Amino acid sequence: MLQVVLRLVGAVLATCVLASAASAQPEPPAAPEGQPLVTPPKLLRFVEADYPQTEGEEPVEAVVELDLVVGKDGLVTEAKVASSAGQAFDQAALAAARQFVFEPARKDWEPIAARIRYRYVFELKTPPEAIDTGWLSGTVLRAEDEGPAGAVVIEIFDVDDELVRDLVSGPDGTFNATDLEPGTYLLKVLGGEYGTLEAEEQVEAGKVTQVIYRLGAKKRAAYQGFGATAVVDAPPREVVKRTIDKEELTRIPGTRGDALRAVELLPGVARPPFGIGLLIVRGAAPQDSESFIDGVPVPLIYHFGGLTSVYNSYMLERIDFYPGNFSVRYGRRTGGILEVTTRDPAQDRIHGVAEISIIDTFITLEAPITDKISISGGLRRSLLDLIVPRVVPDDIGVRQAPVYIDYQFKLNFLPSERDRVRISAYGSNDRLELILEEAQGDDPAIRGSTQIATSFYNNQVDWTRRVGDKVDQQLAFNVGPSKITFGLGDEFNLEGTFVQTYGRGEWRYQVTDRVRLIAGLDVYTAPIDLNYVGPQPRSQEGAGSQQGSLAGQDQVIADVDATVFRPGIYLESDLRLGSFTELILGLRMDYFSEITAYSVDPRVTTIFTVRPDMRVKLGVGIFSQPPEFQESDKSIGNPDLAPIKAVHVGAGWEYDAFPGARFGVEGFYKYLWDRPVETPNGQAPFYVTQGFGRIYGAEFSVNIRPATGRRYFGYLSYTLSRSERQDGPGEPWRLFDFDQTHILTAAFVYNFPRNWEIGGTFRLVSGNPYTPVIGSIYDALNDIYIPIDGRVNTLRNPLFHQLDIRVQKKWIFEGWRLAVFLDIRNAYNQQNQEGIIYNYDYSQRTPLLGLPIIPALGIRGEL
């Protein structure tokens, strides 16, 4: 959140002779008919000046006449002496007048700047009694244009979380809270569509704390400068964009405070089996979608098993999710895009968060180094290695219990008002190793050591510059290694190292008020060193039970040493056609070195602003994606494959029914072609681009944000969809492995008095399809039974339903906070079926149940 808080401390009390208030302003005369009505400024807050101490002289009365310029916000922007009473009196009068607060001058009720003559009178009087209360005076502006935010709600809470003031700012965005007891207060500014804002302020007796808040920092993409200036709103570049702001990131039940787990609750996102963290967007395969952190793709977004994401949620600004029809800024994917924006380190003082639960523990710290440099860092480690060895079966030896570690570091440097430089490093490491003493299930090949290890380490530099009044520039460079080790028994081994190098440059030119051009390029390169021993890789999606046994299969050996090179360029224009229509045209070109192929993808989006609170959006575009590496490698795949292509067609309607509440309806259709499918019997070249796909559906959503205030927020969404695949010309259409016809999600969080917060999330989802086994054949050579499949994905698991609950109690102390929370997944311990397991000859079957109730108790401290 970008927020500028300006603190101006005034009203210094004298101990002897003090000044008195000036005479009242006369009432303005009525304006002649047909001429604008102009009213002069009206003094709201008078500041008494220190009486000058003149050695050896008797106190006297004096008058200083001042010329003051009062801005549109009611603050004094300029003060000069018009008639002097001596240097000492002049300086004292100027110092006091600069702290005056006025009702601004108005022309036909619109605030305007005005110059006035003011007589400051110093007179002798008895010193007043000490003042034991303070004032809080402020202005709420829009970050996008520095204009007043108008009538917004400002709630002021004391340290016991009791509401002590409930104010509404004036049309010019100003507000005043008088007679506040000295102490710390929490302010919540509820800005409707511009989001909510929270800030802690200190009130001192006899003084005025003056603040300026800027709403709408969540909309930033370009900026007017760094430091005291907020950012310019970036016009939308897609049909559907869903955002989770930092006010909600860590408070959604069932996520253990992990922001990225909350993405699964958004419309269009399917539920992965066992909650393992796959991103399944609008019927697309997990590998068809991509996750970005600060504009750079990351290989993993979740730790092992999907328990936790790889980036600490308390260091995030927001999460943007594009389920389809995304901007040409993003390429090489045909599903959806998840963009994670990290937060700049604090510039006011040291802040920190420390938390420990039964799952993991972490700490974050952030602080300013100078007025232009600030840093932040975080470290997390799982505690599962203390639990797992005590709960796994005796016949499974645990050599390395599941352990995950992640870290984050960021340095923010503001060399000038036009520049921002960010240096960041973050990474993740997961390890698990088991010893299987005996063959598992019906596969004699799976025995011995089973190990999984993944890691990645990204190092990134970003430079954002305001080149001129109309041109912005963003440059980013990232480099870092990724590693994977996967061994399954004695028959399967995969070891790979990938060094990702990624660069992006984007330039935005505001041609006129109605025309904006965006040009950019991004380059992805990755040297690959991979060793594989195992059966010939096959398509996993749609394979039914034949994904199965390693026993009896011929082994292949692949030793890959190659470099993937994928440059892309894009151009986008944003045209405002009249007052109600916005047309966004985009074109992207990509090159894929592994298959020596190009793609050209045009996209167009139209946004109609029917009313200020209602929008209709239409979009269509072409999207391209390279085949998976195992499909295009020359030793185990086909390097002559073509890029996978998809066309997205979407339409959406949004209605802001009241501040902070948004209703939405979206319809979508996607058609896929040139999907790689296996050749008959797995013969060379192993894969051909003869597959098709079609996906269609509708999404309905209600989003009530904390911006409405009133201590609560919530989501309600329903998705109706169908996702099908065709594995070659003339083949029958079948259901996609993760097709989920109905997805209903409801989440609600309420903040009760005395800092109790209770929330729940309920999901009702169609079960995933699966392929029935109709018989088996005995393989005497390997002493196993081989299943015979029926039609692919013609049966479906039962309806999935689950309730997650989160309860949190917070204590607020001077300068820090303490919270205890209990997050319960599957609160009523529903035994949801995730699949089917069979006996040795496939004559009997048993439901494979999902995760049971999982309580997570933790404690957190915030500085």
Side-chain angles (χ1 to χ4, degrees), residues 158-159 161 186 200 755 810-814 816-818:
D158 61 17
V159 293
D161 201 40
L186 175 65
E200 283 189 1
N755 295 315
K810 184 184 296 184
W811 293 267
I812 302 177
F813 302 98
E814 191 71 28
W816 70 288
R817 301 181 181 189
L818 180 68

Side-chain angles (χ1 to χ4, degrees), residues 576-589:
R576 296 184 181 272
L577 309 177
S579 303
F580 308 104
T581 306
E582 184 173 355
L583 181 64
I584 301 168
L585 303 173
L587 181 68
R588 182 180 178 95
M589 300 178 62

Side-chain angles (χ1 to χ4, degrees), residues 98-115:
R98 290 187 178 108
Q99 302 180 65
F100 286 180
V101 177
F102 289 83
E103 169 96 19
R106 297 181 183 275
K107 181 178 181 181
D108 284 343
W109 307 111
E110 291 294 326
I112 60 173
R115 184 182 298 274

Side-chain angles (χ1 to χ4, degrees), residues 595-797:
I595 54 175
T596 318
Y598 294 87
S599 67
V600 179
D601 300 336
R603 302 170 195 174
V604 59
T605 297
T606 305
I607 301 174
F608 301 97
T609 303
V610 182
R611 298 184 342 197
D613 57 0
M614 186 180 298
R615 292 160 298 280
V616 175
K617 300 176 290 185
L618 305 173
V620 62
I622 303 296
F623 300 80
S624 302
Q625 175 178 322
E628 293 298 295
F629 180 76
Q630 70 274 13
E631 297 169 340
S632 61
D633 178 71
K634 61 182 179 181
S635 59
I636 54 178
N638 181 4
D640 296 323
L641 295 176
I644 305 168
K645 307 290 285 187
V647 59
H648 291 197
V649 180
W653 171 83
E654 289 180 349
Y655 173 47
D656 299 326
F658 52 88
R662 174 167 293 178
F663 295 79
V665 178
E666 285 85 28
F668 59 91
Y669 176 81
K670 295 194 288 188
Y671 186 79
L672 293 78
W673 67 97
D674 285 344
R675 286 180 47 246
V677 294
E678 288 185 23
T679 57
N681 301 317
Q683 300 297 315
F686 308 114
Y687 296 95
V688 291
T689 51
Q690 295 183 356
F692 301 90
R694 61 189 182 195
I695 306 164
Y696 48 92
E699 300 162 353
F700 308 87
S701 62
V702 179
N703 185 1
I704 301 178
R705 316 196 76 141
T708 61
R710 320 305 185 264
R711 298 175 174 267
Y712 62 86
F713 70 91
Y715 301 92
L716 177 65
S717 68
Y718 171 68
T719 302
L720 175 67
S721 66
R722 188 173 181 86
S723 180
E724 299 177 312
R725 302 293 186 270
Q726 186 182 39
D727 297 325
E731 294 292 325
W733 288 93
R734 61 170 178 82
L735 291 178
F736 172 60
D737 278 359
F738 297 111
D739 173 72
Q740 295 172 7
T741 308
H742 306 282
I743 305 174
L744 175 66
T745 302
F748 186 79
V749 176
Y750 193 90
N751 189 7
F752 289 89
R754 308 198 67 82
N755 295 315
W756 280 95
E757 187 172 86
I758 301 176
T761 298
F762 178 74
R763 300 199 80 185
L764 183 67
V765 185
S766 299
N768 285 326
Y770 69 92
T771 301
V773 174
I774 59 176
S776 63
I777 299 174
Y778 179 64
D779 180 355
L781 181 61
N782 294 286
D783 192 24
I784 61 172
Y785 283 83
I786 300 175
I788 301 174
D789 285 349
R791 291 187 57 188
V792 175
N793 290 344
T794 53
L795 297 181
R796 190 182 288 274
N797 288 313

Side-chain angles (χ1 to χ4, degrees), residues 39-42 44 68-79 97-98 100-106 110-116 139 141 146 148 172 174 210:
T39 58
K42 181 179 180 181
L44 295 177
L68 305 180
V69 176
V70 180
K72 292 192 296 183
D73 56 1
L75 303 180
V76 176
T77 61
E78 183 180 334
R98 290 187 178 108
F100 286 180
V101 177
F102 289 83
E103 169 96 19
R106 297 181 183 275
E110 291 294 326
I112 60 173
R115 184 182 298 274
I116 63 172
T139 305
L141 304 175
E146 293 292 295
D172 57 349
T174 59
Q210 190 170 342

